[in-house]
Coordinates of all heavy atoms in Angstrom, one line a residue:
M1 N 0.9 -1.2 0.0 CA 0.0 0.0 0.0 C 0.9 1.3 0.0 O 1.8 1.3 0.7 CB -0.9 0.0 1.3 CG -1.8 1.2 1.4 SD -2.6 1.3 2.9 CE -1.3 1.9 4.0
T2 N 0.6 2.2 -0.8 CA 1.2 3.5 -0.8 C 0.2 4.5 -0.3 O -0.9 4.5 -0.6 CB 1.8 4.0 -2.1 OG1 0.8 4.0 -3.1 CG2 3.0 3.0 -2.6
D3 N 0.7 5.4 0.5 CA -0.2 6.4 1.0 C 0.7 7.7 1.4 O 1.5 7.6 2.3 CB -0.9 5.9 2.4 CG -1.8 6.9 3.0 OD1 -2.0 7.9 2.4 OD2 -2.3 6.4 4.0
D4 N 0.4 8.7 0.7 CA 1.2 9.9 0.9 C 0.8 10.7 2.1 O 1.5 11.6 2.7 CB 1.2 10.9 -0.3 CG 2.0 10.3 -1.4 OD1 3.1 9.8 -1.1 OD2 1.6 10.4 -2.6
I5 N -0.4 10.5 2.6 CA -0.9 11.3 3.7 C -0.5 10.6 5.0 O -1.0 9.4 5.2 CB -2.5 11.4 3.6 CG1 -2.9 12.1 2.3 CG2 -3.0 12.2 4.8 CD1 -4.4 12.1 2.1
P6 N 0.3 11.3 5.8 CA 0.7 10.7 7.0 C -0.4 10.6 8.1 O -1.3 11.4 8.1 CB 1.8 11.6 7.5 CG 1.6 12.9 6.9 CD 0.8 12.6 5.6
N7 N -0.3 9.6 9.0 CA -1.3 9.5 10.0 C -1.0 10.6 11.0 O 0.3 10.9 11.2 CB -1.1 8.1 10.8 CG -1.8 7.0 10.0 OD1 -2.3 7.2 8.9 ND2 -1.7 5.8 10.5
I8 N -1.9 11.2 11.6 CA -1.7 12.1 12.7 C -1.5 11.3 14.0 O -2.5 10.8 14.5 CB -2.8 13.2 12.9 CG1 -2.9 14.0 11.5 CG2 -2.6 14.0 14.1 CD1 -4.2 15.0 11.5
A9 N -0.3 11.3 14.5 CA -0.1 10.5 15.7 C -0.7 11.3 16.8 O -1.4 10.6 17.7 CB 1.4 10.4 16.0
Q10 N -0.5 12.6 17.0 CA -1.2 13.4 17.9 C -1.1 14.8 17.4 O -0.2 15.1 16.7 CB -0.8 13.2 19.3 CG 0.7 13.8 19.5 CD 1.1 13.6 21.0 OE1 0.6 12.9 21.8 NE2 2.0 14.5 21.3
K11 N -2.1 15.7 17.7 CA -2.1 17.0 17.3 C -1.4 18.0 18.3 O -1.9 19.0 18.8 CB -3.6 17.5 17.1 CG -4.2 17.0 15.8 CD -5.6 17.6 15.6 CE -6.3 16.9 14.5 NZ -7.6 17.4 14.2
A12 N -0.2 17.5 18.6 CA 0.7 18.1 19.5 C 2.1 17.6 19.4 O 2.2 16.5 19.0 CB 0.2 18.0 20.9
P13 N 3.1 18.5 19.8 CA 4.4 17.9 19.7 C 4.8 16.9 20.8 O 4.1 16.9 21.8 CB 5.3 19.1 19.7 CG 4.5 20.2 20.5 CD 3.0 19.8 20.1
F14 N 5.8 16.2 20.6 CA 6.4 15.3 21.6 C 7.6 15.9 22.1 O 8.7 16.0 21.5 CB 6.7 13.9 21.1 CG 5.6 13.1 20.6 CD1 5.1 13.1 19.3 CD2 5.0 12.3 21.6 CE1 4.0 12.3 18.9 CE2 3.9 11.4 21.2 CZ 3.5 11.5 19.8
P15 N 7.7 16.4 23.4 CA 8.9 17.0 24.0 C 9.8 15.9 24.4 O 9.4 14.9 25.0 CB 8.4 17.7 25.2 CG 7.0 17.3 25.5 CD 6.5 16.4 24.4
V16 N 11.1 15.9 23.9 CA 12.0 14.9 24.1 C 13.3 15.5 24.5 O 13.8 16.5 24.0 CB 12.2 14.0 22.9 CG1 13.4 13.0 23.1 CG2 11.0 13.3 22.5
E17 N 14.0 15.0 25.6 CA 15.3 15.4 26.0 C 16.3 14.7 25.2 O 16.5 13.5 25.3 CB 15.5 15.1 27.6 CG 16.5 15.8 28.2 CD 16.2 17.3 28.6 OE1 15.1 17.6 29.0 OE2 17.1 18.1 28.4
V18 N 17.0 15.5 24.3 CA 17.9 14.8 23.4 C 19.3 15.0 23.9 O 19.6 16.0 24.7 CB 17.8 15.4 22.0 CG1 16.4 15.0 21.3 CG2 18.0 16.9 21.9
T19 N 20.2 14.2 23.5 CA 21.6 14.2 23.9 C 22.5 14.7 22.8 O 22.5 14.2 21.7 CB 22.1 12.8 24.4 OG1 21.2 12.4 25.4 CG2 23.5 12.9 24.9
E20 N 23.4 15.7 23.0 CA 24.3 16.2 22.0 C 25.1 15.1 21.3 O 25.7 14.2 21.9 CB 25.3 17.2 22.7 CG 26.3 17.8 21.7 CD 27.2 18.8 22.4 OE1 27.1 19.1 23.5 OE2 28.1 19.3 21.6
G21 N 25.1 15.1 20.0 CA 25.8 14.2 19.2 C 25.1 12.9 18.8 O 25.5 12.2 18.0
K22 N 23.9 12.7 19.6 CA 23.2 11.5 19.3 C 22.1 11.7 18.2 O 21.7 12.9 18.0 CB 22.4 11.2 20.6 CG 22.0 9.7 20.6 CD 21.3 9.4 22.0 CE 20.5 8.1 21.8 NZ 19.5 7.9 22.9
S23 N 22.0 10.7 17.4 CA 21.0 10.8 16.3 C 19.7 10.1 16.6 O 19.7 9.1 17.3 CB 21.6 10.2 15.0 OG 22.7 11.0 14.5
Y24 N 18.6 10.6 16.1 CA 17.2 10.1 16.3 C 16.5 10.0 14.9 O 16.7 10.8 14.0 CB 16.5 11.1 17.2 CG 17.1 11.3 18.5 CD1 18.2 12.3 18.6 CD2 16.8 10.6 19.6 CE1 18.8 12.5 19.8 CE2 17.4 10.9 20.9 CZ 18.5 11.8 20.9 OH 19.1 12.0 22.1
L25 N 15.7 8.9 14.8 CA 15.0 8.7 13.6 C 13.5 9.1 13.9 O 12.8 8.3 14.5 CB 15.1 7.3 13.1 CG 16.4 7.0 12.3 CD1 16.3 5.4 11.9 CD2 16.6 7.8 11.1
W26 N 13.1 10.2 13.4 CA 11.7 10.7 13.6 C 10.8 10.0 12.7 O 11.0 9.8 11.5 CB 11.7 12.2 13.3 CG 10.3 12.8 13.4 CD1 9.6 13.1 14.5 CD2 9.6 13.3 12.3 NE1 8.4 13.7 14.1 CE2 8.4 13.9 12.8 CE3 9.8 13.4 10.9 CZ2 7.4 14.4 11.9 CZ3 8.8 13.9 10.1 CH2 7.7 14.4 10.6
C27 N 9.7 9.5 13.2 CA 8.6 8.9 12.3 C 7.8 9.9 11.5 O 7.2 10.8 12.1 CB 7.7 8.1 13.3 SG 6.2 7.5 12.4
A28 N 7.9 9.8 10.3 CA 7.2 10.7 9.3 C 5.8 10.2 8.9 O 5.0 11.0 8.6 CB 8.1 10.9 8.0
C29 N 5.6 8.9 9.1 CA 4.4 8.3 8.6 C 3.3 8.4 9.6 O 2.1 8.3 9.2 CB 4.7 6.9 8.1 SG 4.9 5.7 9.5
G30 N 3.6 8.5 10.9 CA 2.6 8.5 11.9 C 2.1 7.2 12.4 O 1.3 7.1 13.3
R31 N 2.7 6.1 11.8 CA 2.2 4.8 12.2 C 3.0 4.1 13.3 O 2.6 3.0 13.8 CB 2.3 3.9 10.9 CG 1.4 4.2 9.8 CD 1.6 3.5 8.6 NE 0.5 3.5 7.7 CZ 0.2 4.6 6.9 NH1 1.0 5.7 7.0 NH2 -0.8 4.6 6.1
S32 N 4.2 4.7 13.7 CA 5.0 4.0 14.7 C 4.2 3.9 16.0 O 3.5 4.9 16.4 CB 6.3 4.8 14.9 OG 7.0 4.3 16.0
A33 N 4.5 2.8 16.8 CA 3.9 2.7 18.1 C 4.9 3.3 19.1 O 4.6 3.2 20.3 CB 3.7 1.2 18.4
Q34 N 6.0 3.8 18.7 CA 7.0 4.3 19.6 C 7.2 5.8 19.2 O 8.4 6.3 19.0 CB 8.3 3.6 19.5 CG 8.2 2.2 20.0 CD 9.5 1.3 19.7 OE1 10.5 1.8 19.6 NE2 9.2 0.1 19.4
Q35 N 6.1 6.5 19.1 CA 6.2 8.0 18.8 C 7.1 8.8 19.8 O 7.1 8.5 21.0 CB 4.8 8.6 18.8 CG 3.9 8.1 17.6 CD 4.4 8.4 16.3 OE1 5.1 9.5 16.1 NE2 4.3 7.6 15.3
P36 N 7.8 9.7 19.2 CA 7.8 10.3 17.9 C 8.8 9.6 17.0 O 9.1 10.1 15.9 CB 8.2 11.7 18.1 CG 9.2 11.7 19.2 CD 8.7 10.6 20.2
F37 N 9.3 8.4 17.3 CA 10.4 7.8 16.6 C 9.9 6.6 15.8 O 8.9 6.0 16.0 CB 11.5 7.3 17.6 CG 12.0 8.5 18.4 CD1 12.0 8.5 19.8 CD2 12.6 9.5 17.8 CE1 12.4 9.5 20.6 CE2 13.1 10.6 18.6 CZ 13.0 10.6 20.0
C38 N 10.6 6.4 14.7 CA 10.4 5.3 13.8 C 10.5 3.9 14.4 O 11.5 3.7 15.0 CB 11.3 5.5 12.6 SG 11.2 4.1 11.3
D39 N 9.6 3.1 14.1 CA 9.7 1.6 14.6 C 9.6 0.7 13.4 O 9.5 -0.5 13.6 CB 8.6 1.3 15.6 CG 7.3 1.2 15.1 OD1 7.0 1.5 13.9 OD2 6.4 0.8 15.8
G40 N 9.8 1.2 12.2 CA 9.7 0.4 11.0 C 8.3 0.3 10.3 O 8.2 -0.4 9.3
S41 N 7.3 0.8 11.1 CA 6.0 0.7 10.5 C 5.6 1.4 9.2 O 4.6 1.2 8.7 CB 5.0 1.1 11.6 OG 5.1 0.3 12.7
H42 N 6.5 2.2 8.7 CA 6.4 2.9 7.5 C 6.5 1.9 6.3 O 6.1 2.3 5.1 CB 7.4 4.1 7.3 CG 8.8 3.6 7.3 ND1 9.5 3.4 8.5 CD2 9.6 3.1 6.3 CE1 10.7 3.0 8.2 NE2 10.8 2.7 7.0
K43 N 6.9 0.7 6.5 CA 7.2 -0.2 5.4 C 5.8 -0.5 4.7 O 4.7 -0.6 5.3 CB 7.5 -1.6 6.1 CG 8.1 -2.6 5.1 CD 8.8 -3.7 5.8 CE 9.4 -4.6 4.8 NZ 8.6 -5.8 4.6
G44 N 5.9 -0.3 3.4 CA 4.7 -0.4 2.5 C 4.1 0.9 2.2 O 3.2 1.0 1.4
T45 N 4.6 2.1 2.8 CA 4.1 3.4 2.6 C 5.3 4.1 1.8 O 6.4 3.6 1.6 CB 3.8 4.2 3.7 OG1 5.0 4.7 4.4 CG2 3.0 3.4 4.7
T46 N 5.0 5.3 1.4 CA 6.0 6.1 0.7 C 6.8 6.9 1.6 O 7.8 7.6 1.3 CB 5.3 7.1 -0.3 OG1 4.4 8.0 0.4 CG2 4.6 6.4 -1.5
H47 N 6.5 6.8 3.0 CA 7.2 7.6 3.9 C 8.5 6.9 4.4 O 8.6 5.8 4.4 CB 6.3 7.8 5.1 CG 5.1 8.6 4.8 ND1 5.1 9.9 4.6 CD2 3.8 8.1 4.6 CE1 3.9 10.3 4.4 NE2 3.0 9.2 4.3
R48 N 9.4 7.8 4.7 CA 10.7 7.4 5.3 C 10.9 8.2 6.6 O 10.6 9.4 6.6 CB 11.9 7.6 4.3 CG 11.7 6.8 3.0 CD 11.9 5.3 3.3 NE 11.7 4.5 2.0 CZ 10.5 4.1 1.6 NH1 9.4 4.2 2.4 NH2 10.4 3.3 0.6
P49 N 11.7 7.6 7.5 CA 12.0 8.5 8.7 C 13.0 9.6 8.4 O 13.7 9.5 7.4 CB 12.6 7.5 9.7 CG 13.1 6.3 8.8 CD 12.2 6.3 7.6
V50 N 13.0 10.6 9.2 CA 13.9 11.7 9.1 C 14.9 11.7 10.3 O 14.5 11.6 11.4 CB 13.1 13.1 9.1 CG1 14.0 14.3 9.0 CG2 12.1 13.1 7.9
K51 N 16.2 11.7 9.9 CA 17.2 11.7 10.8 C 17.4 13.0 11.5 O 17.5 14.0 10.8 CB 18.5 11.2 10.2 CG 19.6 10.9 11.2 CD 20.8 10.3 10.5 CE 22.0 10.2 11.4 NZ 23.2 9.7 10.6
Y52 N 17.5 13.1 12.8 CA 17.8 14.3 13.5 C 19.1 14.1 14.4 O 19.0 13.2 15.2 CB 16.6 14.7 14.4 CG 16.8 15.9 15.3 CD1 16.7 17.2 14.8 CD2 17.3 15.6 16.6 CE1 16.9 18.2 15.7 CE2 17.5 16.7 17.5 CZ 17.3 18.0 17.0 OH 17.5 19.0 17.8
T53 N 20.0 14.9 14.3 CA 21.2 14.8 15.1 C 21.3 16.0 16.0 O 21.2 17.2 15.6 CB 22.5 14.8 14.2 OG1 22.4 13.6 13.3 CG2 23.7 14.6 15.1
A54 N 21.3 15.6 17.3 CA 21.2 16.7 18.3 C 22.5 17.6 18.4 O 23.6 17.0 18.5 CB 20.9 16.1 19.7
Q55 N 22.4 18.8 18.2 CA 23.5 19.7 18.3 C 23.8 20.2 19.8 O 24.9 20.7 20.0 CB 23.2 21.1 17.5 CG 22.9 20.8 16.0 CD 24.0 20.1 15.3 OE1 25.2 20.4 15.5 NE2 23.7 19.1 14.5
A56 N 22.9 19.9 20.7 CA 23.1 20.2 22.0 C 22.2 19.2 22.9 O 21.2 18.7 22.3 CB 22.7 21.7 22.3
T57 N 22.6 19.1 24.1 CA 21.7 18.4 25.1 C 20.6 19.4 25.5 O 20.9 20.4 26.2 CB 22.5 17.8 26.2 OG1 23.5 16.9 25.6 CG2 21.7 17.1 27.3
Q58 N 19.4 19.1 25.1 CA 18.3 20.0 25.5 C 17.0 19.4 25.2 O 16.9 18.3 24.6 CB 18.4 21.3 24.6 CG 18.4 21.0 23.1 CD 18.5 22.2 22.2 OE1 18.5 23.3 22.7 NE2 18.7 22.0 20.9
K59 N 15.9 20.0 25.5 CA 14.6 19.5 25.2 C 14.2 20.1 23.9 O 14.3 21.4 23.6 CB 13.6 20.0 26.2 CG 12.2 19.3 26.1 CD 11.2 20.0 27.0 CE 11.3 19.3 28.4 NZ 10.2 19.8 29.3
V60 N 13.7 19.2 23.0 CA 13.2 19.7 21.6 C 11.8 19.1 21.5 O 11.4 18.1 22.2 CB 14.1 19.1 20.5 CG1 15.5 19.8 20.6 CG2 14.2 17.7 20.4
F61 N 11.1 19.7 20.5 CA 9.7 19.4 20.3 C 9.5 18.7 19.0 O 9.5 19.4 18.0 CB 8.8 20.6 20.5 CG 8.8 21.1 21.9 CD1 9.8 22.0 22.3 CD2 7.9 20.6 22.8 CE1 9.8 22.4 23.7 CE2 7.9 21.1 24.2 CZ 8.8 22.0 24.6
F62 N 9.4 17.4 18.9 CA 9.3 16.6 17.7 C 7.8 16.7 17.3 O 6.9 16.6 18.1 CB 9.7 15.1 17.8 CG 11.2 14.9 17.9 CD1 11.8 14.7 19.1 CD2 11.9 15.0 16.8 CE1 13.2 14.5 19.3 CE2 13.4 14.8 16.8 CZ 13.9 14.6 18.1
C63 N 7.6 16.9 16.0 CA 6.2 17.0 15.5 C 5.5 15.7 15.6 O 6.0 14.7 15.3 CB 6.3 17.4 14.0 SG 4.7 17.3 13.2
G64 N 4.3 15.8 16.2 CA 3.4 14.6 16.4 C 2.4 14.5 15.3 O 1.8 13.5 15.1
C65 N 2.0 15.7 14.8 CA 0.9 15.7 13.8 C 1.4 15.2 12.4 O 0.6 14.9 11.6 CB 0.3 17.0 13.7 SG 1.3 18.3 12.8
K66 N 2.7 15.3 12.2 CA 3.4 14.8 10.9 C 3.0 15.8 9.7 O 3.2 15.4 8.6 CB 3.0 13.4 10.5 CG 3.1 12.4 11.7 CD 4.5 12.3 12.4 CE 4.5 11.4 13.6 NZ 5.8 11.4 14.2
N67 N 2.6 16.9 10.0 CA 2.3 17.9 9.0 C 3.2 19.2 9.1 O 2.9 20.1 8.4 CB 0.8 18.3 9.1 CG -0.1 17.3 8.5 OD1 -0.3 17.3 7.2 ND2 -0.6 16.4 9.3
T68 N 4.2 19.1 9.9 CA 5.1 20.1 10.0 C 5.8 20.6 8.8 O 6.1 19.7 7.9 CB 6.2 19.9 11.2 OG1 7.0 21.0 11.3 CG2 7.0 18.7 10.8
G69 N 6.2 21.8 8.6 CA 7.0 22.3 7.5 C 8.4 22.3 7.8 O 9.2 22.7 7.0
N70 N 8.7 21.9 9.0 CA 10.1 22.0 9.5 C 10.5 20.7 10.2 O 11.0 20.6 11.3 CB 10.2 23.1 10.5 CG 11.7 23.3 11.0 OD1 12.6 23.2 10.2 ND2 11.8 23.7 12.2
A71 N 10.2 19.6 9.5 CA 10.5 18.2 10.0 C 11.9 18.1 10.4 O 12.8 18.5 9.6 CB 10.1 17.2 8.9
P72 N 12.2 17.4 11.5 CA 11.3 16.6 12.3 C 10.6 17.5 13.4 O 10.0 16.9 14.3 CB 12.1 15.5 12.9 CG 13.5 16.2 13.1 CD 13.6 17.2 11.9
L73 N 10.8 18.7 13.5 CA 10.4 19.5 14.6 C 9.1 20.2 14.4 O 8.7 20.5 13.3 CB 11.5 20.6 14.9 CG 12.9 20.0 15.2 CD1 13.9 21.2 15.5 CD2 12.9 19.1 16.4
C74 N 8.4 20.4 15.4 CA 7.1 21.1 15.4 C 7.2 22.6 14.9 O 8.2 23.3 15.4 CB 6.5 21.1 16.8 SG 5.0 22.1 17.0
D75 N 6.4 23.1 14.0 CA 6.5 24.4 13.6 C 5.2 25.2 13.9 O 4.9 26.2 13.4 CB 6.9 24.6 12.2 CG 5.8 24.1 11.2 OD1 4.8 23.5 11.7 OD2 6.0 24.3 10.0
G76 N 4.2 24.5 14.6 CA 2.9 25.0 15.0 C 1.8 24.7 14.1 O 0.7 25.1 14.3
T77 N 2.1 24.0 13.0 CA 1.1 23.6 12.0 C 0.0 22.8 12.7 O -1.2 22.9 12.2 CB 1.7 22.8 10.8 OG1 2.7 23.7 10.2 CG2 0.7 22.4 9.9
H78 N 0.3 22.1 13.7 CA -0.7 21.2 14.3 C -1.9 22.0 14.8 O -3.0 21.4 14.8 CB -0.1 20.5 15.6 CG 0.3 21.3 16.6 ND1 1.6 21.8 16.7 CD2 -0.4 21.9 17.7 CE1 1.8 22.6 17.8 NE2 0.6 22.7 18.4
S79 N -1.7 23.3 15.1 CA -2.9 24.1 15.6 C -3.9 24.4 14.5 O -4.9 24.9 14.7 CB -2.4 25.4 16.3 OG -1.7 26.1 15.4
T80 N -3.5 24.1 13.2 CA -4.4 24.4 12.1 C -5.2 23.2 11.7 O -5.9 23.3 10.7 CB -3.7 25.0 10.9 OG1 -2.7 24.0 10.4 CG2 -2.8 26.3 11.3
L81 N -4.9 22.1 12.2 CA -5.5 20.8 11.8 C -6.8 20.6 12.4 O -7.1 20.9 13.4 CB -4.5 19.6 12.1 CG -3.2 19.7 11.4 CD1 -2.3 18.5 11.9 CD2 -3.2 19.7 9.9
Ligands
FES101 FE1 6.9 6.1 10.7 FE2 9.1 4.7 10.2 S1 7.4 4.1 11.4 S2 8.5 6.6 9.5
FES102 FE1 3.2 18.9 14.1 FE2 3.3 20.8 15.9 S1 2.9 18.8 16.2 S2 3.5 21.0 13.7

């Protein structure tokens, strides 16, 4: 099955404490059971995870609605859905 429209995992970001230098695979398809990260559930869709490498140890807000224009981070688009 191919499906360009991502599932909305939630209409809000996921705050995550990231570690400097560490990479994370953000789920773009919205199907992962381990939000906001990819668990391989995009298989069979056109979606691929987006890699994020933390530049600093800090809290970041990963997009949960999967409609952000600034993937993998929330840009506020969720409030329009
Ligand atoms: Fe959503 Fe991999 S499970 S991108
Ligand atoms: Fe997707 Fe905010 S959660 S833009």
Side-chain angles (χ1 to χ4, degrees):
M1 178 190 78
T2 54
D3 181 3
D4 284 319
I5 301 170
N7 286 358
I8 296 172
Q10 66 176 25
K11 287 185 183 176
F14 290 93
V16 175
E17 198 73 42
V18 297
T19 303
E20 182 178 353
K22 202 177 161 194
S23 292
Y24 301 82
L25 280 181
W26 175 74
C27 168
C29 73
R31 289 171 168 75
S32 174
Q34 292 170 35
Q35 292 297 330
F37 303 118
C38 174
D39 72 353
S41 298
H42 60 271
K43 197 163 182 262
T45 76
T46 57
H47 298 285
R48 297 294 177 269
V50 175
K51 187 177 172 185
Y52 173 85
T53 302
Q55 301 302 316
T57 297
Q58 61 181 349
K59 186 186 283 186
V60 298
F61 294 86
F62 287 103
C63 171
C65 74
K66 314 304 180 183
N67 282 273
T68 179
N70 185 36
L73 303 177
C74 171
D75 72 352
T77 298
H78 64 268
S79 62
T80 68
L81 300 176

